[in-house]
Amino acid sequence: QAQLEESGGGSVQAGGSLTISCATSRNSANSGCMAWFRQAPSPRKGRERLARLITATREIDYADYVQGRFIISHDSANATLALQMNGLKPEESGVYFCASAQRPENCGAYTADYWSQGIPVIVSS
């Protein structure tokens, strides 16, 4: 079973940058897709997918509101997934998760197979 362990969260001022990483104990090449999600503090908001990477094709897609500011990358040799976040906004504070799935179409909030423990990111104004 894949285990995903995050690192790199913390606090940053609005407009700043932060990179979070996710290490997997399982051969990530066996994952069909990997993705980053955010859970906002508001209970009314669900877990939002920010970026997704299809392992076999290296295809990447982003949520519209992070396109051009966030960069997802995967180091297959070290089995590490990263999310570089630039121009952070206070409303982007929350708990960030990485996830993976065996099937490339299953990196959704309710369909991903494996999840990290979540790491807090606080963006102050």
Side-chain angles (χ1 to χ4, degrees):
Q1 184 173 354
Q3 292 183 345
L4 305 173
E5 187 169 345
E6 290 180 86
S7 61
S11 299
V12 64
Q13 292 209 329
S17 298
L18 197 65
T19 297
I20 51 179
S21 299
C22 185
T24 176
S25 61
R26 182 172 179 264
N27 183 356
S28 59
N30 292 333
S31 297
C33 60
M34 290 176 280
W36 287 99
F37 292 79
R38 177 178 62 234
Q39 176 69 59
S42 170
R44 294 178 295 177
K45 284 194 171 183
R47 196 170 288 185
E48 303 170 293
R49 191 173 75 194
L50 306 173
R52 179 186 63 167
L53 182 148
I54 305 297
T55 309
T57 63
R58 312 300 290 178
E59 177 185 349
I60 290 172
D61 55 64
Y62 296 96
D64 289 344
Y65 45 88
V66 305
Q67 178 79 47
R69 295 188 297 122
F70 288 17
I71 301 171
I72 186 173
S73 62
H74 179 234
D75 180 347
S76 57
N78 294 308
T80 301
L81 184 73
L83 184 69
Q84 179 183 335
M85 303 181 288
N86 303 308
L88 282 161
K89 306 173 183 179
E91 58 266 33
E92 293 177 324
S93 297
V95 178
Y96 284 66
F97 299 85
C98 63
S100 67
Q102 291 184 331
R103 296 179 66 86
E105 67 272 22
N106 281 357
C107 271
Y110 299 101
T111 55
D113 298 318
Y114 309 108
W115 290 90
S116 64
Q117 78 280 13
I119 197 164
V121 171
I122 300 170
V123 185
S124 57
S125 57

